[in-house]
Amino acid sequence: MFEKILIANRGEIALRILRAAKELGIATVAVHSTADSEAMHVKLADESVCIGPPAARDSYLNIPGLLAACEITGADAVHPGYGFLSENAKFAEICADHEIAFIGPKAEHIRIMGDKIEAKRTARALGIPCVPGSEGGITDDDEAMRVAEQIGFPVLVKAAAGGGGRGMKVARTALDLSEALATARTEAKAAFGDDAVYLEKYLEKPRHIEIQILGDGLGNAVHVGERDCSLQRRHQKVLEETPSPALNQDQRQKIGEICADAMRKLKYSGAGTIEFLYENGEFYFIEMNTRIQVEHPITEMISGLDLIVEQIKIASGAPLAYRQEDIDLRGHAIECRVNAEHPATFRPSPGKILYYHPPGGVGVRVDSAAYQGYVIPPNYDSMVGKLIVQGRTRNEALMRLRRALDEFIVDGVDTTLPLFRALVRNSEIQDGAYDIHWLEKFLAAGGMDHHE
Ligand code: ADP
């Protein structure tokens, strides 16, 4: 097992990793930018190293700085969290070259899944169902037209290097196609420095359902159920729940087993998430994330597993200590991503938290690095924390969520808490009757207007 883990991240996920390391008796090193000297992860780690100025490219993305911090502190492993360097294959390789364990999958797998065209090709070869679309990248407009007519309009132009919903454009008819291609290419070039795009059938009313998997790199792999992340704004997840209200046990087992089996064939190592769109009873692969995800706690709540502990054990070379039949999913869990943003306009609201009172009680978990007096810096994402609730049934989880949201107080900055208070009281949400467009329609119809 490792002796000392350097956490190459900040905020709630840095704290989350630190907690897992402590429970395993592993020493921790926090790194931080000058904007984060007062951050909770710095206060709670055994050691800390300042690695640069506020801009992420000079601090949390600064690979030489991170390696130097490992060297100085004698860390023998790095956990990248999510975002920042978590899906950077080069960083994983450089760590290995310096005999520092990267707590994540093999660089080769990060690379394959980081290129969406390659990821889709691999998924198809592994028996994972995919969205109909172009076989590979699309280079000219005539070819695009041929593919689009084959799969049928509407189609979606997507960036091979995509992420965060950027470089994605819908073409409803043949007339829109060349413009959609041009816009997606320009956006992709600007955001990722790579203008490769591909085509997919545009699904009108899908849900976003993703499967959590764990593999040990030795050919063992399990799935830990699904998460329904259909409540999105601008392709960003807002609230997640597990199990999905749309699936029955049969469907769950079937898609879960397809994913676990694919990971066994790939000899995948670590935690990963296989993301699907789900429509009319069919699953369509969209991408795989080769890291821990923001919404991982809901899976922990129903499985009893600590996914970060599992990541650490796997990276240290341990085989999975359980088989699929040992994974026992119980009850229901829901997560709300509470951001420092206006609940109706979503304008970021960095600044000082004047009063902070997180909820507690049975079945309530708050993963947050916030505290009273903490100043949320304007340089990074605006997350205040994640409120996670668990119940024996979906109804119990919803009732618990309602009361936990009513207890939660964050003064001094705007937060999205009022949005969640409205959502948990909405009858369609209560019925689980929502798709990936539901939230934007709710907002456009003035669902939060009294907050303007
Ligand atoms: P990114 O990596 O940019 O987040 P994804 O491929 O994961 O891109 O897609 C993000 C979101 O975009 C999905 O959750 C879904 O809301 C929407 N989306 C992606 N592909 C399609 C599709 N073929 N049809 C309809 N919506 C899609």
Side-chain angles (χ1 to χ4, degrees), residues 116 131 156 158 162-166 168 198 200-204 206 208 229 232 235 275 277 286-287 436-437:
K116 296 195 160 192
V131 191
L156 188 61
K158 295 175 83 170
R166 281 169 304 177
M168 238 190 264
Y198 63 106
E200 248 174 28
K201 172 93 191 141
Y202 180 71
L203 302 169
E204 296 278 2
H208 173 118
C229 315
Q232 302 181 353
H235 302 302
E275 297 194 336
L277 294 177
I286 45 173
E287 68 167 343
I436 61 169
H437 304 297

Side-chain angles (χ1 to χ4, degrees), residues 114 116 158-168 184-197:
K116 296 195 160 192
K158 295 175 83 170
R166 281 169 304 177
M168 238 190 264
R185 279 200 191 102
T186 314
E187 250 184 61
K189 182 86 195 166
F192 315 110
D194 173 359
D195 67 356
V197 296

Side-chain angles (χ1 to χ4, degrees), residues 15-314:
L15 206 54
R16 171 70 190 83
I17 296 162
L18 192 147
R19 286 172 172 152
K22 288 204 173 188
E23 289 183 16
L24 288 169
I26 302 171
T28 53
V29 181
V31 294
H32 65 94
S33 71
T34 51
D36 277 339
S37 334
E38 297 300 314
M40 186 80 106
H41 74 283
V42 178
K43 294 179 199 278
L44 289 188
D46 297 311
E47 290 169 80
S48 67
V49 181
C50 180
I51 50 164
R57 66 173 177 278
D58 301 322
S59 50
Y60 298 103
L61 294 172
N62 169 2
I63 296 178
L66 288 163
L67 291 176
C70 286
E71 189 101 340
I72 294 165
T73 57
D76 53 354
V78 169
H79 196 305
Y82 52 68
F84 296 131
L85 294 168
S86 60
E87 287 175 302
N88 186 312
K90 210 161 168 196
F91 180 56
E93 269 164 8
I94 294 174
C95 286
D97 289 347
H98 288 77
E99 283 172 18
I100 297 162
F102 176 80
I103 302 175
K106 300 169 191 144
E108 170 201 351
H109 292 155
I110 300 177
R111 195 161 279 131
I112 293 174
M113 296 304 171
D115 177 332
K116 296 195 160 192
I117 295 173
E118 201 48 44
K120 231 175 136 175
R121 198 176 287 138
T122 308
R124 210 176 288 124
L126 291 168
I128 297 174
C130 292
V131 191
S134 55
E135 276 297 319
I138 290 279
T139 42
D140 71 281
D141 286 22
D142 289 345
E143 187 194 355
M145 189 57 79
R146 266 196 309 277
V147 175
E149 271 165 0
Q150 218 170 31
I151 57 179
F153 285 95
V155 296
L156 188 61
V157 185
K158 295 175 83 170
R166 281 169 304 177
M168 238 190 264
K169 284 285 161 267
V170 185
R172 296 238 151 237
T173 68
L175 295 174
D176 310 331
L177 186 59
S178 71
E179 194 186 318
L181 283 163
T183 322
R185 279 200 191 102
T186 314
E187 250 184 61
K189 182 86 195 166
F192 315 110
D194 173 359
D195 67 356
V197 296
Y198 63 106
L199 279 195
E200 248 174 28
K201 172 93 191 141
Y202 180 71
L203 302 169
E204 296 278 2
K205 286 184 173 175
R207 298 181 79 111
H208 173 118
I209 297 181
E210 57 186 37
I211 308 292
Q212 174 71 53
I213 59 90
L214 288 167
D216 61 10
L218 307 166
N220 303 305
V222 296
H223 69 88
V224 198
E226 81 279 13
R227 293 184 286 262
D228 193 320
C229 315
S230 302
L231 278 178
Q232 302 181 353
R233 180 180 168 269
R234 300 200 173 154
H235 302 302
Q236 299 294 317
K237 297 163 189 167
V238 171
L239 176 150
E240 305 94 357
E241 63 176 310
T242 182
S244 167
L247 293 192
N248 62 38
Q249 190 57 16
D250 246 27
Q251 294 167 303
R252 172 169 305 116
Q253 262 169 11
K254 208 166 145 214
I255 191 67
E257 199 36 54
I258 288 174
C259 292
D261 191 50
M263 294 304 110
R264 284 174 204 129
K265 287 185 203 149
L266 200 60
K267 290 206 166 54
Y268 183 82
S269 168
T273 300
I274 306 181
E275 297 194 336
F276 294 93
L277 294 177
Y278 174 80
E279 193 174 71
N280 301 327
E282 300 288 336
F283 283 93
Y284 303 98
F285 170 84
I286 45 173
E287 68 167 343
M288 176 168 182
N289 291 319
T290 51
R291 55 169 164 82
I292 196 74
Q293 288 194 266
V294 176
E295 60 274 24
H296 77 276
I298 56 173
T299 299
E300 296 182 325
M301 301 300 265
I302 67 159
S303 68
L305 280 171
D306 181 322
L307 293 174
I308 308 274
V309 164
E310 293 309 314
Q311 285 187 299
I312 297 172
K313 285 185 179 167
I314 293 166

